[in-house]
Amino acid sequence: MDTNADEQHPPVAPRIGPGYPAGRLARALRTATTHEDAGARARAESRVGHWRAVLRAMASGAVTAGSRTPVAGLPAWVTPQVVHGGFATGAASAGGPLLPYELEAAVRAGVPADRRALFGHFLTDRGLAELTDRLDRGCYEVLVPEEAALLTVAWLVRAGDRAAALDLLDTLEPFAGQLRFTPRPAAAPAADTTLTYRRTVGQVREAVAARRRHPAVEAMNEALAVWNPFADELLAHWLETARSGRVLARLPDDGWHGRGAALLARYQELAAVHTRCGKHRRPKENQAVLRAALAEAVAGRAPDARALGRLQHAVDSMVAKRGRPGSAPHTALRDGQAAVAARPTHHALAGLVARRLSALPQGTGTPAADALTGPVTDEEQRDCGLPAGTAVPEPVRRVVLGALSAPIGTLVERGLVPSAEVLAELVPQLVSATAALAHPDPALRALAGANHRAFRNRRSLLLLDLQHQVRVEELPWVRAVAAYRGTGGESAEAARTTLVRLGGLAVQGFPATLLPNPLLRELSVLAAGASLEIPLVEELAIDIFTGRFSGKFLDAAVVAGDLLGGTLYERYYGIDYTALAALGAAGAAGAAGRAAGRPEAAARERRRAVEEFGKLCRARAGRATGWSENAMVIEQAQILTTHNLAALVVLAGIEPGHGWTDTARRCFTAVCALTARLHRDPQGWNTVKDAAYAWRQMLFHLSLCGARERAEVVAWAEAEAARHPGRVADRLAPALAGLRLVAAGGEFRADGTAEGGRARRLLGRSSTDHWLRRDLPAPTGSG
């Protein structure tokens, strides 16, 4: 549920300067000129161009940072080119030079290579027939939303709604020569959108094929296969001269010198070809001592006593370490080393897997990812010489599994989705299919899904003054077919089911982290499709926060109070959810007044309630200035609202598949892991913040456990903290003492401490140094 227009404060002038873009430009320039990797330098050079464009556009006034319409002359629905931090470069994502497929379309149509000419062509009978054919067969791609515009015109014309088609064309026409409205052709319809994958087969193939040889492994294999056997030959040659264990008792006259000369010649040949291992060149190594002595003997020079001593020591050491060449222990050792050297390298096996991948469609995932990492087959042995039955190494297998196409729950269960942020990247594939179910017409449903997926690639803008990001329903081509959406029924039920499934996956899979903003946007789409009003609140940017909240933060806090009133969570954080409920009731009365025909009074009442919520957050945060104040106020809002957990539990009905006790334990394990990092990086403010977030999530989950399970988790936490390295138990002792205190019915003082300071409330933000980052005293005693 988004903030209504009457809840917005009047816009103020943008307050974003060039400092951040200038800093990012400097960073990109540094990477572009100093990084050792050519690929990294090339990517940095691209970023340099983008940041220069940002700064030029800001300086000229072509871009207004912080606005929903940042680029002068472009309406909000046009997809801007946006770089890190939400800054627009001044260009449109669908602009720039014509792409190859557009040039090919112009040639086929017999029109100039110009976007306006192409636009006009696709409005002719021939052009509309081509678009309609693509719609029916599904053979098109939409990578930026604008590429769905002309397909929508064609659908409206076929549906007989020429008025809607003409209205849409009137909106598009001023930008016909500038933006790419032509869809991309595709050889086949889009893949099954109920399945998802992290990377395409082509991306995985490139990653596997780019796997480099491991210099240390290559050097080791060379030593085992080449230089160790050669050292054995040198040793055996010298042992021919030995009597009673002493070398050079006599020099044989049966060709010993000639065989020695041949050994030295072969060494030169081997050294010219096998260059990875350099140990044999070190003068003090045993092999080098034997070789140098042999060269002297072959040249007819008798060694002095010192050289003879070095030679004898080398021979004795080699025999003592491995036995005499030809003996059973020595032979067994060398056979084992030869087997190791003969094993295919990861590099060679990666090349084989890359060949397997090249036989598949490259633009999508594959359900056969597991089969692609099976052992070397007999046929492959005949083709490439790798031993049949050799297993593909785990590092290569992990890369290939990135292309596994499966239900998203399967990817999470198999550990192929490492974070909530990655989950957010995958969710649009599924949400687009669910949202598109609202369109009964199959062709329009497929087009709506493609448009939704493209829209989710649109990067968020940096916005000020509670402005919201552009929504998909604001796109002119989406508005044009809004009348053809169904209501309720199958699509609403599907949206509700998907919302519960994805919300549960996120909470179960990543219980210790905040739900990222991109995932919240997808959940909001599903909630709207299910006709559910769920106040999902975004994580706010500290650097541009102005101390004000939109109305949905108050709504979310009221929902949290309904769930958590009287629980451990409310007592731990010292929340008065009853007072919040009264504040929410005042806001609701404002909404009722609006419905009763008193919009201005209603808006004032609603605004007053929301402002009171902001004042409450500031009062709870305490005194601070600048960045710290923003951070502390935002954290208090997250505490009061549970940052979407309560809203999803109460209004969507989600719950983790393994139960609240399991998620609480996993949250505390994450707290311990994060706290352990402070032993290596005591300045880690972000680590402290993340640990406090995980602690807060744990308290939420604990509050939904039964009393017995909650007591078991609190008791277990002590042992779990002691199990982690880095003095974790010592650092967390005040937090654990505070948890025990509140669980037993106690309370913190106003300053968040108790028991003479031995118990503390764990928060992530502070106006002063955080107690979790303190230096611990050195351990005493011998233990």
Side-chain angles (χ1 to χ4, degrees), residues 276-347:
R276 294 188 177 92
C277 179
K279 185 177 180 181
H280 59 91
R281 297 187 181 90
R282 300 172 192 162
K284 294 183 179 181
E285 293 291 335
N286 290 334
Q287 181 183 157
V289 172
L290 266 60
R291 193 176 67 250
L294 180 59
E296 292 294 304
V298 168
R301 293 186 289 272
D304 57 24
R306 187 173 181 181
L308 183 59
R310 286 199 300 271
L311 175 61
Q312 185 66 56
H313 176 75
V315 170
D316 291 345
S317 297
M318 295 171 76
V319 171
K321 187 173 183 179
R322 303 180 186 86
R324 295 177 67 92
S327 66
H330 186 278
T331 300
L333 172 66
R334 292 309 191 208
D335 287 347
Q337 291 176 341
V340 170
R343 287 189 308 211
T345 63
H346 288 195
H347 171 75

Side-chain angles (χ1 to χ4, degrees), residues 517-570:
N517 288 351
L519 179 58
L520 292 173
R521 286 195 289 272
E522 298 302 321
L523 295 178
S524 295
V525 170
L526 293 171
S531 299
L532 295 175
E533 292 190 354
I534 302 179
L536 297 175
V537 297
E538 301 84 2
E539 184 177 11
L540 302 176
I542 294 172
D543 54 349
I544 61 169
F545 179 62
T546 59
R548 293 176 293 159
F549 296 95
S550 62
K552 60 185 175 182
F553 280 81
L554 173 59
D555 298 335
V558 171
V559 173
D562 292 341
L563 178 66
L564 297 172
T567 66
L568 171 71
Y569 188 95
E570 182 183 41

Side-chain angles (χ1 to χ4, degrees), residues 142 144 353 413 464 724 727 730:
V142 177
V144 293
V353 172
E413 290 170 5
L464 294 172
H724 283 72
R727 310 287 299 280
D730 293 337

Side-chain angles (χ1 to χ4, degrees), residues 241-450:
T241 73
R243 292 293 182 271
S244 301
R246 307 298 297 175
V247 297
L248 289 180
R250 66 180 180 83
L251 290 177
D253 55 5
D254 58 352
W256 186 90
H257 287 82
R259 294 196 301 280
L263 277 174
L264 293 173
R266 193 151 63 84
Y267 169 78
Q268 295 299 330
E269 295 172 358
L270 292 174
V273 174
H274 302 285
T275 59
R276 294 188 177 92
C277 179
K279 185 177 180 181
H280 59 91
R281 297 187 181 90
R282 300 172 192 162
K284 294 183 179 181
E285 293 291 335
N286 290 334
Q287 181 183 157
V289 172
L290 266 60
R291 193 176 67 250
L294 180 59
E296 292 294 304
V298 168
R301 293 186 289 272
D304 57 24
R306 187 173 181 181
L308 183 59
R310 286 199 300 271
L311 175 61
Q312 185 66 56
H313 176 75
V315 170
D316 291 345
S317 297
M318 295 171 76
V319 171
K321 187 173 183 179
R322 303 180 186 86
R324 295 177 67 92
S327 66
H330 186 278
T331 300
L333 172 66
R334 292 309 191 208
D335 287 347
Q337 291 176 341
V340 170
R343 287 189 308 211
T345 63
H346 288 195
H347 171 75
L349 290 166
L352 170 65
V353 172
R355 285 194 291 275
R356 292 174 176 176
L357 288 162
S358 65
L360 300 176
Q362 301 294 292
T364 186
T366 173
D370 287 300
L372 291 166
T373 57
V376 178
T377 66
D378 293 335
E379 182 179 355
E380 288 169 334
Q381 179 179 9
R382 290 191 295 270
D383 290 343
C384 60
L386 296 173
T390 303
V392 171
E394 184 60 25
V396 176
R397 182 176 175 275
R398 284 199 301 270
V399 174
V400 174
L401 286 179
L404 177 63
S405 179
I408 196 165
T410 300
L411 300 187
V412 173
E413 290 170 5
R414 295 191 60 174
L416 300 177
V417 182
S419 67
E421 286 73 21
V422 173
L423 177 65
E425 294 173 6
L426 303 180
V427 161
Q429 297 179 56
L430 179 59
V431 175
S432 65
T434 304
L437 287 174
H439 296 285
D441 181 82
L444 184 56
R445 185 186 310 151
L447 179 58

